Amino acid sequence: MIITVSGVKKEVADGLTVAQLVIDEKVETPQYITVTINDEFVENSEFADTTIKDGDVIEFLYFMGGGR
């Protein structure tokens, strides 16, 4: 199936979960990311149970602290 990850179209296996995608994409500090699928937030606790579907658009969002 074809999905879009961070703006890049990729071919991936059917049945791919968000948890496996995070591993496959070698996401640095995965404990600090938020994931959206088609602009809907996925809870971190649901990564292993959330299956990606053909045509999905996935974004990894990194929240950074800082400022004054």
Side-chain angles (χ1 to χ4, degrees), residues 23-44:
I23 293 167
D24 292 351
E25 291 294 310
K26 298 178 176 68
V27 173
E28 290 184 34
T29 59
Q31 65 272 24
Y32 297 119
I33 65 164
T34 299
V35 175
T36 62
I37 299 177
N38 304 322
D39 295 323
E40 297 287 328
F41 288 95
V42 178
E43 295 291 330
N44 293 29

Side-chain angles (χ1 to χ4, degrees), residues 1-54:
M1 69 180 168
I2 303 294
I3 62 172
T4 303
V5 180
S6 301
V8 178
K9 288 192 185 262
K10 297 182 177 234
E11 187 168 348
V12 297
D14 289 343
L16 182 68
T17 64
V18 173
Q20 187 59 51
L21 181 64
V22 168
I23 293 167
D24 292 351
E25 291 294 310
K26 298 178 176 68
V27 173
E28 290 184 34
T29 59
Q31 65 272 24
Y32 297 119
I33 65 164
T34 299
V35 175
T36 62
I37 299 177
N38 304 322
D39 295 323
E40 297 287 328
F41 288 95
V42 178
E43 295 291 330
N44 293 29
S45 61
E46 298 174 1
F47 284 5
D49 298 323
T50 303
T51 303
I52 297 167
K53 298 173 195 72
D54 188 45

